[in-house]
Amino acid sequence: MKADAPEVRTTAGVLSGETGKAGTAVFRGVPYAAPPVGPLRFGAPRPAPGWDGVRRATAFGTPPPQSAVFGTDALAPADADDGDWLTLNVWTPEPGPGAGLPVMVWLFGGAYVIGMSGLPEYDGGRLAREGVVLVTLNYRIGIEGFALVEGAPANRGLLDQLAALAWVRDNIRAFGGDPDRVTVFGESAGAGSLAALLATERAAGLFRRAVAQSVPAPFLSAGLAADVAAELAAELGLRPTADDLGTVAPGLLPAAADALGARMGRYAPRWGVLARTAIPLAPVVDGEVLPRAPWEALAAGAARDVELVVGHTRDEYRLFMALDGTLGEEMAEDRAARALRDFSPDGAGEEAYRKAFPDLGPAGLYELVRSDWLFRMPSLHLAEAQVAGGGRAYFYELVWETPGMGGLLGACHGLDVPLVFGNLGGGLPALLFGEAPPAEAEELSGLFRSAWTRFAAGEGPGWPAYDVERRPVRLFDVRPSVTAYPEEVSRTLWQDHVFGALPLLAARGRGPGL
């Protein structure tokens, strides 16, 4: 084979890739399941058909339909309705069987409504060059992937991820990978997906290690998910069934979720804290694909055989404040007070936060309580659940402050992603680091890549395992250190809170919020 056109043989046929800019072989747009269209729409993923001859694998697959919330819908091509979304990409420094390299499989984030594996920040060349086989994948999101639809299995996005992992098990040896040394890593909704995979028996044996970066809180009970689905379908004048929704072109469904998200506050009497967010979809604790919420499942030992790295950034919610224009602006006292009432743990209320953080003004309290509820405390509690269930967990916090937006972003949500992949320019990285990433970012990226690939190789990430007495945490900074968990005040406020499936608070009435 030509050096610039590497070939591998998979169970479905021969693939021809190319040499990437980092010098690794890359195979793009590889189908791991059949397109979920026609009679397969809203169904569990089915095996991808094989092919004769050599299939070129040099272009990313079509991304799934995107929400317009953060503008990613503009990145979805006009042919997104073709349903050819279930593809993956492989970067490898040593294509061909026999190398036995560790494998890392990436699950993108995006609030379960946006995301695609072909974004430049997910280019796997630099990570693969560290001595791993790197896999990224598309999976169904939005209504296609996560709405609870009558006549369809729940959590179709998770089922897609499981199908991709089964493909890795059956094929990755041909790319130089070891199917017995698979690490799944993901951030934000990708970390939430990973938490769900840790909790389901269907993932048993598909991966040995996991890295969950900023685990989000929202998981929905079946009752709440059904009520949300009814409102989503009502946006289109339909019932929440596979037959009805199957009459709508896939590219038109995200608009229904966006419309509902824009007025979710009206549903607070039924949906509780979920209504205070703008995203109506999340994994569903349906009793089949996902029997229990991840925190409960891990505490019962569901993932005790999987080594886990989990952590968060220090200033998680600042990115979202930057996106909605409130970062660095004065905030009305009543807005902060409502956030404290809505997001503080178990009725502790705003007074508990005000007493615990007396030096913070309205904007600081608003940012902190939303960071704690959405990412920081769910991540910490997942590590503690893993330890309680007899498993091993390692915890980290990213505390380095990016110079992006004049330093206002701090150590914000998503900052870890370009650092882990080593892609520091263009797109979102340009917002985070500015047009010229500082040398400190490159140094920190090297620390992340080394820790993640070392962990994937079975050598541990480079700091002590977490325990509930000493609480050792790796602080990622230009000068990294290990210390007791630094967010002790928040941890104490949340120590008795139980993260689980969000409930439906009241039956559906005759109108929104009734």
Side-chain angles (χ1 to χ4, degrees):
M1 68 181 177
K2 297 180 180 179
D4 60 348
E7 292 185 0
V8 298
R9 179 175 294 278
T10 71
T11 56
V14 177
L15 292 168
S16 173
E18 62 184 4
T19 301
K21 61 184 179 182
T24 56
V26 55
F27 302 82
R28 301 182 180 91
V30 180
Y32 67 83
V37 295
L40 302 184
R41 191 164 178 204
F42 295 108
R46 300 286 184 88
W51 58 86
D52 297 323
V54 178
R55 177 183 179 125
R56 285 183 56 79
T58 56
F60 290 112
T62 305
Q66 304 284 308
S67 165
V69 173
F70 298 123
T72 56
D73 58 323
L75 302 178
D79 61 354
D81 283 352
D82 67 6
D84 195 16
W85 314 316
L86 303 187
T87 62
L88 53 76
N89 320 292
V90 184
W91 286 261
T92 174
E94 296 185 50
L101 297 174
V103 180
M104 298 182 68
V105 180
W106 170 250
L107 303 179
F108 61 72
Y112 307 106
V113 296
I114 62 172
M116 61 192 75
S117 64
L119 293 176
E121 50 260 43
Y122 302 151
D123 184 281
R126 291 197 73 181
L127 262 183
R129 204 167 61 192
E130 303 277 341
V132 301
V133 177
L134 193 284
V135 180
T136 68
L137 61 113
N138 285 333
Y139 57 93
R140 281 174 284 182
I141 54 178
I143 293 175
E144 297 281 350
F146 288 97
L148 189 60
V149 176
E150 183 181 336
N155 297 306
R156 295 170 299 281
L158 301 181
L159 295 177
D160 294 344
Q161 295 164 12
L162 290 167
L165 288 169
W167 185 97
V168 168
R169 177 196 61 204
D170 297 339
N171 290 280
I172 206 64
R173 200 180 298 276
F175 296 84
D178 182 350
D180 294 321
R181 290 201 293 168
V182 175
T183 297
V184 181
F185 67 127
E187 185 265 350
S188 196
S193 296
L194 176 51
L197 297 181
L198 289 167
T200 178
E201 294 181 0
R202 300 186 185 206
L206 292 177
F207 58 95
R208 181 172 292 186
R209 298 178 182 88
V211 182
Q213 305 170 208
S214 300
V215 180
F219 279 73
L220 308 188
S221 66
L224 177 55
D227 201 65
V228 169
E231 295 296 343
L232 287 168
E235 291 286 337
L236 299 161
L238 301 172
R239 299 171 301 162
T241 68
D243 287 342
D244 272 25
L245 292 173
T247 65
V248 181
L252 299 179
L253 289 183
D258 291 348
L260 183 63
R263 51 182 175 78
M264 279 177 58
R266 300 168 63 183
Y267 297 88
R270 281 161 36 202
W271 299 354
V273 68
L274 181 70
R276 301 305 183 190
T277 72
I279 305 296
L281 294 164
V284 182
V285 180
D286 66 312
E288 295 184 16
V289 178
L290 187 55
R292 293 180 286 185
W295 302 271
E296 180 186 359
L298 266 62
R304 65 165 58 97
D305 295 329
V306 179
E307 282 191 296
L308 174 64
V309 169
V310 60
H312 58 70
T313 70
R314 188 190 61 200
D315 309 309
E316 289 278 5
Y317 206 73
R318 288 193 191 180
L319 177 66
F320 303 100
M321 296 176 72
L323 292 173
D324 71 15
T326 59
L327 184 62
E329 302 295 325
E330 291 188 14
M331 180 171 292
E333 179 65 42
D334 61 342
R335 184 172 184 181
R338 189 174 78 173
L340 289 169
R341 291 192 298 270
D342 289 339
F343 296 103
S344 59
D346 301 326
E350 59 180 297
E351 291 307 315
Y353 260 85
R354 292 185 188 278
K355 183 177 180 180
F357 299 97
D359 297 330
L360 289 182
L365 288 167
Y366 175 89
E367 175 203 328
L368 181 62
V369 73
R370 300 206 69 167
S371 293
D372 280 347
W373 176 80
L374 187 52
F375 295 115
R376 300 203 320 173
M377 295 304 107
S379 299
L380 180 66
H381 283 217
L382 193 73
E384 296 191 340
Q386 174 72 341
V387 172
R392 174 172 292 186
Y394 301 87
F395 203 84
Y396 75 91
E397 181 176 19
L398 173 57
V399 298
W400 179 74
E401 298 184 0
T402 177
M405 290 190 64
L408 290 175
L409 288 171
C412 67
H413 185 70
L415 179 60
D416 49 329
V417 175
L419 294 173
V420 166
F421 278 88
N423 302 318
L424 306 183
L428 179 60
L431 170 68
L432 296 174
F433 303 114
E435 293 301 324
E440 288 183 350
E442 190 62 59
E443 294 174 21
L444 192 57
S445 176
L447 293 175
F448 267 107
R449 297 197 311 276
S450 175
W452 269 218
T453 55
R454 173 177 170 168
F455 178 67
E459 302 171 5
W463 67 90
Y466 186 84
D467 67 77
V468 295
E469 295 180 357
R470 296 175 301 148
R471 307 185 193 281
V473 172
R474 171 71 173 268
L475 300 184
F476 274 97
D477 206 339
V478 174
R479 294 179 178 84
S481 61
V482 177
T483 185
Y485 183 60
E487 315 305 339
E488 177 64 15
V489 178
S490 289
R491 186 197 70 80
T492 301
L493 285 172
W494 287 83
Q495 63 185 348
D496 296 325
H497 180 79
V498 177
F499 284 97
L502 299 176
L504 178 66
L505 300 182
R508 189 167 184 243
R510 291 174 295 176
L514 298 178

